[in-house]
Amino acid sequence: MFSTELAQTLLSGVLMGLIFSLVAVGLTLIWGIMDIVNFAHGDFLMSGMYISYWMYALWGIDPLLSLPVSGAFLFFLGMVAYRLVIRRILGAPMLIQIFATFGIMILMRYLAFYFFKPNYRSIQQTLLSGNIDLHGVYLSIPQLAAAAGAFLTTGAVYVLIHKTRVGGALQATAEDREAAALMGINTDRMFTLAWGIGAATAGIAGSLLSTFFYIFPEVGGIFGLIAFVAVTLGGFGNVAGAFVAGILIGVVEAMAGYLYDPALKTVFVYVLFLGVLFFRPQGLLGVE
Amino acid sequence: MASGVAAGSGFLYARNGALLAAALAYPFLFRQSFPQDLAIKIFLFGGLASAWNVLGGFAGQVSLGNAIFFGVGAYAAAVVQTQWGWTPWAGMLLGMAASAGIGALIGYPCFRLKGHYFAMATLAIGEVISTLFMNWQWVGGAVGVYIPLRDDTWKYFQFGTTKLPYYYVMLAFLVSALLLSAALLRSRMGYYFRAIREDQDAARSLGVPARRYKLAAMGISAALTSAGGSLYAQYVLFIDPHSVFPMMLSIQVVLIAILGGVGTLWGPVVGAMVLIPLSEFTRIYIGGTGSGLDLIAYGLLIIVISVIQPRGVLGFFRKAGAA
C-alpha cells in the first residue's frame, strides 16, 4: 500500500516536472541569451491557458487542437514585448530591466483579471479524459498527455538550439554579443527570436496545463517562480539543465506534499533554490 | 553626488522648515477623511521607500524582499496585543529588533550573491516567510489577526474618531527615515555604502569591510521597514499574510524609489508623492477596488517609466542626476 502511494507520488511529480521543464526552458533561453530576467514568463503561460480555455468554451475546440494557436500567438506576443519594451532597456541598469518585465507581468495579469474576472475556470471534458490504472497507480490521461507534449516541445527546443544554424547563431549571441555581431549575426533579430520562442514555449505549456489545472488570472505567479528556481538549478541558459531541474522540482514538490504537508510544498522548492544559489551558484549541472 | 548637501545650508534649512510647516498644517486645511488618508499613505510609503533606499540605493543591494520586514513589524505589533496584552509600541520595538536580526540572517549568506541572484534570493525568501506565516496557527495562520478595538488611546495607539494621531505619527516616521538617510549620506558609513555600490572589489581592496557594511545597511533598512509595518497594522487594525507580506509591496517600495531617483535623499518622497496619489485616484475614478483596471494602469505606468525615464522624476529637475 505504502509503495503504491509512493509510486503514485513519484510519477505525478515527474509528470508535473516535465511541464515545469518546458516552462523553464523558455525562461532560460531568454535569460541565457540576453541576461534579462523575464518576470512576465508565468503570465505568458497564463495567456496560453486562457487561449485554450476560450477556444474550448466558445467553440468547443479541444485544447489539443488549440495548442498550435496559442504557441503561435505567444510567439507573436513575445516578439512584440521585445520590440516595444525590452529592446529599449537593453543597456539600462538591472533594476530598470527587472521593472520593465515586472510592468509587463502586472499589465498582462490584470488585463486577464479585468476581462476574464478572477473566477477559477477549468476544462472538463477533453479528447483525452479518464485515467489509466497501472497496478493501483492511477494516472490521469490529460496529465500524461500534457507531460508527453511538454517533453516533445522541450526536445524540439533543444534540437533547435543545438542542431540548427539558427540555434548556433543564438548560442553565439549568448556567448558574446559583440563578437556575434562582427561575424554578421543580426543580434537584434536573435533577441527577437529568443523572446518569440521563449514566450511560445510558455504558451504551449499553458495549453497543455489547461486540460487539468485550474485557470485563473494569477496562475502565472506559481509557474513563473518555479521556472526561476528551475533555471537557477539548471544553470542559466542551459536547456538540458532546465529540463532536469524541472523534473527534480516536480518530484521534490510531490514528495514534500506526500511526506510532510501539501501546504508547505512550495517552501521546500524555495529552500532547494536557496541552497543551490548559495552552494552551487553555477547551477547543479553547470560548470565553474 | 549626495543630494541636498551641495546647495547653501541656510537655504536648505529654510526650505525644509517650510516643507515641515506645510506638512504640520495640512490636516487643518484638509479635514476630510480622504486627503488625510492619502497623506498618511504617502508618508508611510515614502518612509518605506527611504528604508529600501538605504540598502538598495546607497549600498546598491537590490532587495526584492522588504515586505518580509514590513510583515514582521505588522505581526509583532498585533500579536503582542492579542497574545500577551502588551502595547503595540513594545511590539514595534520587538519587531524592529527581530527584523534587524532576520535581515542579518538573510544577508549573511545572500550578500555573497550579486546582481540578479541577490534580488531573486530575497524574492524567494519573501515567499517562504509569507507561506510560513500562512501556516503558523499561533499568529492566526491564513485568517490573520484582528487587533481588539478600544476607545481612543495612545497606549494602544488606536483612534476611531480622528485620523490626526495617525497622521502625525506617520509624518514622524517619514521624517525619522529622512533624517537617518541624510545623516548616513554624510557619515563615513554612507561613503562606505556608496563605495561598495560603485565597485565592491575596489572598496574591499581599500580596506572597507564590505560584508559588515552591507549587513549594517540591511539592518537599518529592515528595522525602519518594520517600524512602518507596525504603524500600518495599528492604522488598519486587521492584518493577514496577504496584506502585509505581498510581493507587490516589496516591488512597490522599489518602484517608488526608482520613480523618484534611486540613491538620493528626496527621491523616495518624490516617488511616493507621485505614485501613491496616482494609484489611489485610478483606484477610485477608473477602477473601483477589485476590477483590476487600476493595476492595468499601474503596469502600463511601470513600463513607460522604465522605458523613458530610468533616472526618476528627480532626473528631470537635476542634470547631475542620481547614480
Side-chain angles (χ1 to χ4, degrees), chain B residues 3 60 192 214 232 241 244-245 282 290:
Chain B
S3 74
Y192 283 177
K214 287 196 279 188
Y232 172 82
V244 295
F245 283 112
T282 45

Side-chain angles (χ1 to χ4, degrees), chain A residues 16 19 23 45 49 146 204-213 223:
Chain A
M16 201 62 194
I19 309 251
V23 185
L45 176 140
M49 285 177 105
I204 290 171
S207 285
L208 292 169
L209 272 171
S210 70
T211 57
F212 66 92
F213 208 88
F223 289 93

Side-chain angles (χ1 to χ4, degrees), chain B residues 101-176:
Chain B
I102 293 171
L105 280 178
I106 294 173
Y108 197 75
C110 288
F111 281 137
R112 286 193 306 163
L113 308 168
K114 286 180 183 167
H116 286 141
Y117 301 91
F118 179 77
M120 298 298 307
T122 52
L123 190 74
I125 294 170
E127 292 299 294
V128 169
I129 292 186
S130 165
T131 313
L132 291 179
F133 268 81
M134 200 89 80
N135 291 283
W136 187 9
Q137 296 313 321
W138 190 71
V139 299
V143 180
V145 187
Y146 287 90
I147 294 171
L149 297 179
R150 301 169 199 271
D151 293 334
D152 289 5
T153 155
W154 275 104
K155 187 181 173 198
Y156 290 96
F157 192 38
Q158 255 189 50
F159 294 88
T161 55
T162 167
K163 284 195 190 313
L164 283 183
Y166 292 117
Y167 179 92
Y168 287 112
V169 170
M170 283 297 187
L171 179 61
F173 170 63
L174 174 64
V175 170
S176 324

Side-chain angles (χ1 to χ4, degrees), chain A residues 88 94 99 102 113 236 278, chain B residues 112 116-117 251 290 302 307:
Chain A
R88 296 166 205 269
M94 180 195 80
F99 270 85
F102 224 92
F113 196 91
F236 300 88
F278 297 143
Chain B
R112 286 193 306 163
H116 286 141
Y117 301 91
I251 301 306
I302 296 176
V307 170

Side-chain angles (χ1 to χ4, degrees), chain B:
Chain B
M1 197 190 288
S3 74
V5 182
S9 62
F11 164 75
L12 279 180
Y13 281 124
R15 185 194 67 182
N16 294 348
L19 280 175
L20 188 62
L24 289 172
Y26 176 90
F28 295 99
L29 302 171
F30 298 92
R31 290 165 181 279
Q32 298 92 333
S33 171
F34 175 73
Q36 294 193 359
D37 178 67
L38 188 65
I40 288 171
K41 283 182 178 147
I42 291 173
F43 297 156
L44 174 65
F45 278 92
L48 294 175
S50 294
W52 178 86
N53 199 34
V54 170
L55 178 64
F58 298 167
Q61 308 300 309
V62 176
S63 155
L64 293 181
N66 265 28
I68 297 167
F69 313 122
F70 185 81
V72 167
Y75 268 94
V79 170
V80 296
Q81 293 176 77
T82 56
Q83 295 290 345
W84 303 322
W86 292 8
T87 140
W89 301 110
M92 181 167 122
L93 293 176
L94 190 69
M96 289 170 75
S99 290
I102 293 171
L105 280 178
I106 294 173
Y108 197 75
C110 288
F111 281 137
R112 286 193 306 163
L113 308 168
K114 286 180 183 167
H116 286 141
Y117 301 91
F118 179 77
M120 298 298 307
T122 52
L123 190 74
I125 294 170
E127 292 299 294
V128 169
I129 292 186
S130 165
T131 313
L132 291 179
F133 268 81
M134 200 89 80
N135 291 283
W136 187 9
Q137 296 313 321
W138 190 71
V139 299
V143 180
V145 187
Y146 287 90
I147 294 171
L149 297 179
R150 301 169 199 271
D151 293 334
D152 289 5
T153 155
W154 275 104
K155 187 181 173 198
Y156 290 96
F157 192 38
Q158 255 189 50
F159 294 88
T161 55
T162 167
K163 284 195 190 313
L164 283 183
Y166 292 117
Y167 179 92
Y168 287 112
V169 170
M170 283 297 187
L171 179 61
F173 170 63
L174 174 64
V175 170
S176 324
L178 285 176
L179 287 175
L180 188 69
S181 299
L184 266 178
L185 276 173
R186 261 173 287 185
S187 71
R188 175 185 291 262
M189 193 187 266
Y191 285 109
Y192 283 177
F193 284 174
R194 274 167 283 164
I196 292 166
R197 176 186 72 198
E198 294 305 327
D199 190 337
Q200 180 170 319
D201 295 330
R204 195 174 267 151
S205 72
L206 292 173
V208 176
R211 182 181 280 193
R212 194 187 309 161
Y213 278 94
K214 287 196 279 188
L215 283 173
M218 177 72 115
I220 295 169
S221 182
L224 257 179
T225 306
S226 179
S230 300
L231 298 178
Y232 172 82
Q234 290 307 118
Y235 184 52
V236 296
L237 295 175
F238 164 68
I239 56 168
D240 67 359
H242 283 294
S243 66
V244 295
F245 283 112
M247 198 166 78
M248 277 295 277
L249 184 92
S250 293
I251 301 306
Q252 205 170 5
V253 295
V254 190
L255 187 70
I256 288 169
I258 292 179
L259 187 60
V262 174
T264 61
L265 177 61
W266 287 98
V269 185
V270 175
M273 285 174 73
V274 175
L275 194 74
I276 299 300
L278 206 72
S279 79
E280 291 291 302
F281 281 112
T282 45
R283 199 159 58 77
I284 288 162
Y285 289 108
I286 59 170
T289 315
S291 78
L293 252 185
D294 52 332
L295 287 157
I296 293 172
Y298 198 66
L300 270 176
L301 178 81
I302 296 176
I303 296 173
V304 170
I305 292 169
S306 332
V307 170
I308 337 184
Q309 190 46 250
R311 285 201 154 183
V313 174
L314 285 182
F316 282 125
F317 302 113
R318 190 180 300 120
K319 285 248 169 63

Side-chain angles (χ1 to χ4, degrees), chain A residues 5 19 52-53 150:
Chain A
E5 270 182 40
I19 309 251
S52 280
Y53 175 79

Side-chain angles (χ1 to χ4, degrees), chain A residues 23 27 38-51 73-74 77 101-113 199 202-203 206 216-225 227-228, chain B residues 247:
Chain A
V23 185
L27 187 66
N38 178 20
F39 278 93
H41 197 68
D43 298 82
F44 285 148
L45 176 140
M46 176 270 295
S47 312
M49 285 177 105
Y50 272 108
I51 289 172
F73 179 79
L74 266 296
L77 198 65
T101 66
F102 224 92
I104 299 175
M105 174 203 105
I106 295 175
L107 181 63
M108 288 176 70
R109 187 169 294 182
Y110 291 100
L111 277 171
F113 196 91
F216 55 101
E218 277 141 346
V219 69
I222 305 171
F223 289 93
L225 275 165
F228 284 132
Chain B
M247 198 166 78

